[in-house]
């Protein structure tokens, strides 16, 4: 059976990131949070824009004060006061200083700032009682960034630091990649919406809601296509429609070996390339992955836990890669300590759902309580991680290290 690692490689290989010119849209800086930058940003401004003071204090000439001490303070005449926001009009000459504030432009002539705490003011004179380093507390023009070089590269996620940089560079409209479009459908005669009255044999289509929530969290656009009965014609129409509208189609149910598990058959009849129909993992073994050109199709198993585990392990990284992010789309694992014994039959890569607790700065993994079944969605509540036991590993003891995938 195909290993999880090989399945992941096949999926990543099939993902074509949204890098075409038609995939770029212009957004306002205020709505750019969490979007992916689509064109590089440069600025015509140096950062800092001009030499400025890093402290509230006095702008001086180093040569005047390099021998100053508490015993032999240097006395300078204050010839100007320079608040932030103003261009100084003076040149500091030998024996002179300017009162200056943090962020204010350095006056000509001065090259060093003495912080206020190391001085004593006497009317229009200041006593300097410390010898500074040359150019101390001066933030020089271009120290942080030089005009014309690349400020931000394509393919980075925009978060608070990048948004601040864009604002500072006066980019108030930004090119970002459009959000991936993800269509979700559920298949099964037993499924009804939460608003419908349940008849004997029926259950609510909970997968649709869980998957939509996860897709939205990733910043993608969700098309909820609803429930499709286990009828080949309906299913064929629904899948064809989904493929025509989306970059990624996710269905849940109908991928196992039962009489009414039609998904693979329909994918073939619609001309999809089926890459695999089973992965050596539990839960999630019947995961099906296919492509229609650049459109990715994930046929997730219907069991509620299997649907979510396969989403977290494979669909989430695929959405990340598709969204245009330049690096780091892979599933991320943490090494933590097991706080419960974890077991597997050793034949499948096994994903155990539970909760990470931070205890004295160390993450510890607790297996979810209750009935442990891929059909049980109840004990998924308040979990935040999946512990992973590789093939061949049948037991992780309490206190032993284990890899976990954050969910
Ligand atoms: N003979 C075999 N039977 C099964 C195998 C197998 O290897 N041989 N694999 C089992 C495994 S593992 C899984 S996982 C499931 C996968 O089943 P399907 O993907 O075909 O899904 P369904 O049969 O449609 O449903 C399974 C289960 O999940 C419930 N379900 C389905 N859709 C939803 C939904 N949208 N919301 C909530 N719950 C849903 C459905 O009612 C079933 O209980 O197959 C095993 N069988
Ligand atoms: O592996 Mo299935 O995915 O147990 O329920
Ligand atoms: Mg089935």
């Amino acid at each position: 059976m195909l290993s999880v690692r090989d399945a992941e490689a096949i999926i990543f290989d099939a993902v074509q990131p949204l890098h075409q010119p038609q995939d770029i849209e212009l957004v306002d800086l205020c709505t750019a949070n969490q979007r992916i930058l689509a064109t590089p940003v440069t600025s015509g401004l140096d950062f800092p824009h001009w030499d400025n003071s890093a402290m509230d204090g006095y702008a001086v000439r180093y040569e005047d004060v390099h021998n100053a001490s508490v015993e032999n303070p240097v006395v300078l005449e204050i010839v100007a006061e320079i608040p932030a926001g103003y261009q100084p009009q003076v040149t500091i000459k030998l024996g002179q200083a300017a009162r200056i504030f943090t962020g204010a432009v350095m006056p000509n002539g001065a090259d060093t700032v003495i912080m206020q705490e190391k001085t004593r003011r006497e009317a229009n004179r200041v006593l300097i009682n410390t010898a500074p380093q040359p150019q101390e507390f001066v933030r020089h023009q271009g120290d942080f960034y030089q005009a014309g070089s690349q400020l931000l590269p394509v393919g980075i996620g925009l978060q608070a630091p990048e948004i601040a940089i864009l604002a500072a560079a006066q980019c108030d409209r930004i090119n970002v990649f459009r959000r991936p479009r993800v269509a979700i459908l559920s298949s099964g005669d037993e499924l009804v919406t939460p608003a419908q009255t349940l008849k004997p044999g029926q259950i609510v289509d909970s997968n649709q809601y869980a998957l939509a929530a996860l897709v939205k969290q990733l910043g993608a656009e969700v098309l909820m296509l609803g429930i499709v009965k286990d009828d080949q014609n309906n299913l064929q129409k629904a899948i064809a429609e989904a493929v025509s509208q989306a970059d990624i189609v996710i269905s849940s149910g109908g991928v196992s070996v039962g009489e009414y598990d039609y998904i693979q058959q329909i994918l073939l009849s619609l001309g999809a390339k089926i890459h695999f129909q089973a992965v050596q993992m539990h839960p999630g073994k019947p995961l099906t992955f296919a492509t229609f050109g650049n459109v990715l199709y994930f046929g997730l198993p219907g069991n509620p836990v299997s649907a979510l585990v396969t989403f977290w392990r494979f669909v989430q990284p695929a959405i990340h890669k598709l969204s245009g992010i330049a690096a780091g789309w892979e599933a991320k694992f943490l090494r933590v300590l097991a706080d419960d014994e974890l077991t597997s039959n050793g034949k499948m890569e096994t994903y155990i759902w539970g909760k990470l607790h931070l205890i004295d700065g160390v993450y510890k993994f607790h297996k979810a309580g209750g009935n442990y079944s891929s059909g049980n969605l109840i004990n998924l509540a308040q979990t935040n991680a999946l512990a992973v036991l590789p093939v061949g590993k049948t037991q992780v003891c309490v206190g032993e290290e284990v890899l976990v995938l954050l969910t």
Side-chain angles (χ1 to χ4, degrees), residues 366-385:
H366 289 266
K367 185 178 165 175
N371 189 313
Y372 222 78
S373 150
S374 60
N376 178 15
L377 51 70
I378 306 299
N379 77 342
L380 267 179
Q382 295 296 295
T383 58
N384 60 7

Side-chain angles (χ1 to χ4, degrees), residues 70-119:
V70 177
E71 298 75 34
N72 292 304
V74 170
V75 181
L76 301 173
E77 181 199 1
I78 300 166
V79 293
E81 177 167 301
I82 312 167
Y86 297 92
Q87 183 62 36
Q89 303 298 329
V90 292
T91 295
I92 304 302
K93 302 197 184 81
L94 279 178
Q96 295 184 335
R99 177 76 171 119
I100 198 164
F101 300 94
T102 307
V105 179
M106 285 292 285
N108 285 334
D111 54 22
T112 300
V113 171
I114 312 289
M115 67 193 292
Q116 193 171 312
E117 293 85 332
K118 307 284 186 191
T119 66

